[in-house]
Amino acid sequence: MLMKKIILSLLIGLFYLHASAVEGMWIPTLLKRFNIEEMQKMGFKLTAEDIYDINHASMKDAVVLFGSGCTGELISGDGLLITNHHCGFGQIQKHSTLDHDYLSNGFWAANRKEELSNPGLTVQFLVKMEEVTSDVMKGLDNGQEDAVIQKIITENIAKIKLKFAGKEKYLADVKPLFYGNQYFVYVYQVFRDVRLVGAPPATIGKFGGDTDNWVWPRHTGDFSLFRIYAGKDNQPADYSPDNVPYHPKKFFPINLKGVKEGDFTMVFGFPGTTQEYLPSQAVKLIINQSNPTKVEIRTARLALLEKCMTADPKVKIQYAAKYANVANAWKKWQGETKGLVELHALDVKAAKEAEFMQWVNGDAARKTKYGNLFETFDRQYADLGKYQVAYDLYNEAIIRGSDVAMMVSRLDFLGKQLKDTLAFRRSKQALIQSLSFYTKDYDAKTDGEVFPALLKIFLDKVEGQFLPENVKNGLEKWKDNPRLKKIYFSSILTDTVRMKKLVTDFDANSLKKLQKDKLFALITSLTDYYSTHIEPTYNQINREIVKSQKSYLAAILEANEGRRMMADANLTLRVTYGKVEGYAPSDGVYFKHYTTLKGIMQKLDPTIADYVVPEKLKQLYESKDYAGYAGSDGEIPVAFCASNHTTGGNSGSPVINANGELIGVNFDRCWEGTMSDILFDASRCRNIALDIRYALFIIDRFAGAGYLLKEMNLIQ
């Protein structure tokens, strides 16, 4: 009976009918049709046009895609931007050395001349978005083969991009929704001169570290400040000392009154990926095979990195960003699996699929069109399962597992381009330009620990059919750690001076020399086998699955015609809304909706790196000099949680109140709700946001950079 109640509570109308008020990542252009009335009933005081308008300044003009996978927002008329500390972490780390350790000590530019440039970092403003489904589908008919269909779609998308790019003034991107049942074009203005303005020390920006990652209650000052620069015409420009701060159409006013439980909140940003419409077969594969495999390899990798980083302060700086990147998904996958199991996700999916089939079987035409979908999924996922573990093992342990393996991939690719003079020149130049960053953050001793350990895990776990003959025949020798280390450290690839010269002078003779290098030969034998014997089949099976998913979604859309449906996130601008609220993750436990500086002091433990607190912050706590930033309880607020449906990519997103004012910066989800990418549960899924008052308090009282506040519009 209990199981039945759990399943029924999670079913919404007809299998995948419109989502509840707090579930969904909604397309801005459709808010007026499907969402704004509900938002206003929940307390929102503005209009759909205040959020998204292509003819007048709106909130969309104050939100950017930061880098390749985060969100940021404008907080001044001079291009000042706030995002998460972990979103800016890579840039902060690149600027850090033992002499200027901005990770440990923080960084604050005293004036605009001291702001640090970040080659390669971009921010993108959405200019407009528009549905182009009919244009993408032009020329298609039911009788065409898959290859022909894909060719026509690709050609149509290229024409659409060319049309909307405006002679390269803009970047145009076309993305599918609902597995290709719908298409939108997104037009962006890309700014290429983005400078670091300020960041707190890691003891604030990463307080709680990996211990608290994905966990509530949270006490992390997860923010960093950047500034967008433009040419004298306020248009995008390459870096130049002559560039000036960008003047945006819109920036967010900042509310200092804070939040209370039940307040309306809206998150506006670029969520990366959700998979809400996966069939039960896919969820089973994730729970039982894919997530456990990836977690096991990353557990070993993190342990080795931590050991080396603890032993050497230089290595700690070099590998800080790499460690954080590895750890983030590692912990998320564990929470996701736990949540899916506790919510009986397989039973929930099965119940939804049974309802779907009832609808299908109610009409002869539907039965002919959709009646075999789940039998097809059974077969496809059975085929995929044979390859999924090998795919995950290769990716986690070999292809992306170590620094040297990633460098081998780039050199191998370069060698394969030797016959294409233009492509070779471009790739070689790009590799040369990246070498300074690579060598700065490469430590042979550390990577020499990681590579042999991950190779052994890989060889112990992977089935023989997924290994090249030369490795399969010498299996035990490749598991021999001392022997492998000898090969590793005798390689030209682990000597940065020799490796730099090799890349700079790279030609056909260099490739021949590399191919005699035992380490290069071992890694390329594995990666070549992967690319010829595993990846093609794995990708083909997935293409077939996507085709079935498209048919599945077409049926769901047909059944729910005229009702709102959430399209899975795909790193495009979306709106999600909910309210400030705590939650009960387990029996007898309730978490309130906010945390304070007092909680930081309660966690303080100088013997644990994650819970070290800067002396100045301790002094500020003791002095209670909180004027202008304290909450109604007299404490400095640090973070709050709310029921907005978020995912990766929403990191750094503005959290906005009912008046359209900035109240926080989104940075995480609670661990109990990380399965929300696959199955959303309104009772336990919470986004976690930095309270903007804590960021301002740190900028002003801790960093002494109060001059930055003068740029902002602060609402008392």
Side-chain angles (χ1 to χ4, degrees):
M1 182 62 71
L2 177 62
M3 176 72 74
K4 188 175 181 181
K5 287 181 179 178
I6 291 171
I7 293 171
L8 289 176
S9 72
L10 288 164
L11 292 175
I12 306 169
L14 177 61
F15 38 92
Y16 285 103
L17 232 157
H18 62 281
S20 61
V22 295
E23 181 181 2
M25 300 171 184
W26 305 106
I27 296 170
T29 55
L30 302 179
L31 291 177
K32 190 171 184 178
R33 180 180 174 189
F34 289 119
N35 304 91
I36 195 63
E37 185 177 342
E38 179 180 66
M39 294 170 71
Q40 290 168 342
K41 285 179 180 177
M42 292 174 65
F44 188 57
K45 297 177 182 178
L46 303 178
T47 67
E49 290 79 10
D50 289 317
I51 298 171
Y52 178 94
D53 195 318
I54 62 171
N55 297 314
H56 303 93
S58 60
M59 290 184 198
K60 80 166 177 61
D61 300 309
V63 180
V64 299
L65 177 61
F66 182 87
S68 59
C70 278
T71 303
E73 56 270 12
L74 276 295
I75 54 173
S76 92
D78 281 340
L80 189 64
L81 175 154
I82 190 167
T83 187
N84 289 154
H85 185 273
H86 76 259
C87 291
F89 195 78
Q91 281 70 41
I92 301 164
Q93 186 263 338
K94 285 177 183 177
H95 289 296
S96 295
T97 63
L98 285 174
D99 293 331
H100 299 286
D101 187 356
Y102 300 137
L103 289 176
S104 299
N105 304 321
F107 169 80
W108 302 96
N111 53 61
R112 291 180 185 175
K113 288 184 179 179
E114 291 187 2
E115 294 172 358
L116 302 176
S117 66
N118 299 280
L121 176 64
T122 63
V123 298
Q124 300 180 38
F125 289 88
L126 180 69
V127 177
K128 66 177 179 178
M129 59 187 294
E130 188 176 308
E131 186 177 357
V132 290
T133 307
S134 59
D135 292 329
V136 172
M137 301 296 189
K138 191 178 295 181
L140 298 182
D141 63 55
N142 292 329
Q144 293 163 328
E145 295 182 356
D146 290 346
V148 175
I149 290 171
Q150 192 52 55
K151 182 175 183 292
I152 292 171
I153 289 175
T154 301
E155 290 173 350
N156 287 343
I157 286 175
K159 292 175 185 175
I160 294 166
K161 287 182 178 181
L162 191 63
K163 173 186 172 183
F164 280 90
K167 294 183 179 178
E168 300 185 355
K169 181 180 180 182
Y170 299 111
L171 170 69
D173 192 15
V174 176
K175 288 196 173 183
L177 301 177
F178 300 111
Y179 288 86
N181 283 287
Q182 192 176 28
Y183 285 85
F184 270 75
V185 63
Y186 304 86
V187 182
Y188 298 98
Q189 190 172 37
V190 183
F191 285 81
R192 303 180 296 278
D193 186 354
V194 185
R195 305 181 195 179
L196 177 63
V197 175
T203 45
I204 291 175
K206 277 179 62 68
F207 181 80
D210 293 306
T211 308
D212 284 2
N213 193 19
W214 300 103
V215 171
W216 181 259
R218 202 67 175 275
H219 298 85
T220 308
D222 196 350
F223 77 96
S224 56
L225 298 174
F226 290 78
R227 193 182 305 279
I228 305 169
Y229 279 78
K232 299 290 177 62
D233 57 359
N234 207 40
Q235 295 299 305
D238 291 329
Y239 170 81
S240 168
D242 297 328
N243 286 347
V244 296
Y246 170 65
H247 300 303
K249 296 176 184 177
K250 169 84 175 176
F251 65 92
F252 285 106
I254 296 172
N255 185 291
L256 293 177
K257 296 176 184 178
V259 300
K260 62 181 185 298
E261 193 152 24
D263 281 354
F264 173 88
T265 58
M266 183 182 97
V267 174
F268 200 12
F270 291 84
T273 304
T274 57
Q275 298 173 295
E276 301 289 339
Y277 301 102
L278 286 179
S280 55
Q281 296 89 340
V283 178
K284 185 178 181 180
L285 188 65
I286 289 167
I287 293 172
N288 295 332
Q289 290 181 260
S290 188
N291 279 359
T293 299
K294 294 183 290 189
V295 166
E296 180 180 1
I297 295 171
R298 290 201 178 195
T299 299
R301 186 177 174 191
L302 287 168
L304 290 166
L305 290 178
E306 184 176 13
K307 182 183 77 171
C308 295
M309 291 166 72
T310 302
D312 189 333
K314 183 181 178 183
V315 173
K316 186 176 181 179
I317 293 172
Q318 289 175 308
Y319 282 80
K322 296 172 189 175
Y323 185 96
N325 287 336
V326 173
N328 193 50
W330 167 79
K331 192 166 185 178
K332 186 257 188 182
W333 289 326
Q334 293 175 73
E336 179 178 79
T337 300
K338 183 175 185 290
L340 289 171
V341 171
E342 290 180 354
L343 282 181
H344 306 282
L346 294 178
D347 295 315
V348 172
K349 289 284 184 181
K352 289 182 178 181
E353 289 162 8
E355 286 201 33
F356 171 82
M357 288 310 300
Q358 280 185 338
W359 173 80
V360 168
N361 292 328
D363 179 86
R366 292 200 297 259
K367 190 172 181 179
T368 300
K369 195 172 183 181
Y370 305 121
N372 296 322
L373 266 173
F374 290 109
E375 288 84 351
T376 302
F377 280 137
D378 283 338
R379 174 180 52 78
Q380 289 171 337
Y381 279 99
D383 291 340
L384 185 67
K386 300 171 188 175
Y387 283 84
Q388 186 66 55
V389 171
Y391 179 86
D392 290 332
L393 285 169
Y394 264 98
N395 274 284
E396 291 294 327
I398 307 300
I399 293 169
R400 295 195 296 265
S402 64
D403 294 332
V404 73
M406 286 185 274
M407 179 53 69
V408 165
S409 293
R410 295 196 68 177
L411 288 168
D412 187 36
F413 179 71
L414 187 62
K416 288 170 180 173
Q417 289 185 306
L418 276 166
K419 293 180 180 179
D420 186 337
T421 306
L422 182 59
F424 172 75
R425 269 207 309 261
R426 287 175 176 169
S427 295
K428 180 178 176 180
Q429 187 59 33
L431 184 54
I432 290 171
Q433 289 174 349
S434 69
L435 278 179
S436 59
F437 293 114
Y438 176 84
T439 55
K440 173 185 176 293
D441 295 331
Y442 169 76
D443 177 68
K445 185 178 178 183
T446 300
D447 201 53
E449 291 286 333
V450 172
F451 176 75
L454 296 193
L455 181 63
K456 185 177 188 306
I457 293 173
F458 169 78
L459 294 174
D460 284 339
K461 295 286 182 182
V462 75
E463 293 184 14
Q465 70 184 89
F466 297 115
L467 286 173
E469 288 301 317
N470 67 311
V471 174
K472 196 188 319 185
N473 293 336
L475 206 56
E476 291 310 312
K477 74 176 182 180
W478 295 121
K479 294 181 187 179
D480 184 345
N481 195 294
R483 181 180 184 278
L484 200 53
K485 280 191 173 184
K486 186 176 180 181
I487 290 172
Y488 182 94
F489 288 107
S490 63
S491 171
I492 189 174
L493 300 169
T494 59
D495 182 328
T496 54
V497 175
R498 293 168 65 204
M499 193 266 290
K500 273 185 176 181
K501 188 174 188 313
L502 174 80
V503 173
T504 305
D505 301 335
F506 200 90
D507 57 16
N509 290 327
S510 305
L511 180 61
K512 289 178 182 177
K513 185 177 181 180
L514 257 183
Q515 289 168 339
K516 294 177 182 178
D517 185 287
K518 290 183 179 179
L519 184 62
F520 182 87
L522 169 62
I523 295 172
T524 52
S525 70
L526 290 166
T527 55
D528 285 349
Y529 193 84
Y530 166 86
S531 63
T532 56
H533 289 75
I534 296 170
E535 194 174 34
T537 304
Y538 179 83
N539 289 342
Q540 179 57 36
I541 296 170
N542 272 299
R543 281 192 291 270
E544 293 297 322
I545 288 173
V546 168
K547 186 179 176 182
S548 298
Q549 279 283 158
K550 181 179 180 180
S551 188
Y552 186 28
L553 265 294
I556 291 171
L557 291 168
E558 182 182 331
N560 294 284
E561 188 175 0
R563 303 182 179 100
R564 74 179 186 190
M565 292 287 295
M566 183 195 113
D568 274 325
N570 60 354
L571 203 64
T572 59
L573 195 60
R574 302 287 182 92
V575 172
T576 178
Y577 49 92
K579 61 183 178 179
V580 176
E581 56 180 326
Y583 69 106
S586 57
D587 183 50
V589 176
Y590 179 78
F591 290 136
K592 68 180 183 181
H593 64 281
Y594 73 99
T595 60
T596 68
L597 181 56
K598 184 177 181 179
I600 292 177
M601 297 307 153
Q602 290 171 345
K603 284 184 175 179
L604 187 159
D605 188 338
T607 67
I608 300 175
D610 286 345
Y611 296 128
V612 171
V613 176
E615 285 301 318
K616 188 168 183 180
L617 191 57
K618 294 179 193 176
Q619 294 166 11
L620 288 167
Y621 175 73
E622 293 296 332
S623 73
K624 306 296 181 187
D625 181 16
Y626 299 162
Y629 304 110
S632 58
D633 60 359
E635 298 291 339
I636 289 292
V638 173
F640 63 90
C641 65
S643 55
N644 298 281
H645 188 180
T646 62
T647 188
N650 276 126
S651 291
S653 295
V655 184
I656 303 156
N657 68 8
N659 298 314
E661 299 157 346
L662 188 68
I663 53 174
V665 182
N666 188 77
F667 68 88
D668 208 350
R669 286 173 284 167
C670 68
W671 200 53
E672 298 86 357
T674 51
M675 75 292 161
S676 62
D677 289 346
I678 297 169
L679 185 66
F680 187 88
D681 175 29
S683 70
R684 64 164 65 193
C685 292
R686 296 291 180 269
N687 68 301
I688 302 173
L690 170 75
D691 193 303
I692 196 64
R693 292 172 293 177
Y694 186 52
L696 298 178
F697 174 74
I698 294 298
I699 293 168
D700 187 7
R701 304 290 167 77
F702 179 85
Y707 59 90
L708 291 170
L709 274 62
K710 295 177 182 178
E711 297 183 40
M712 306 173 196
N713 179 12
L714 304 179
I715 309 297
Q716 300 290 338

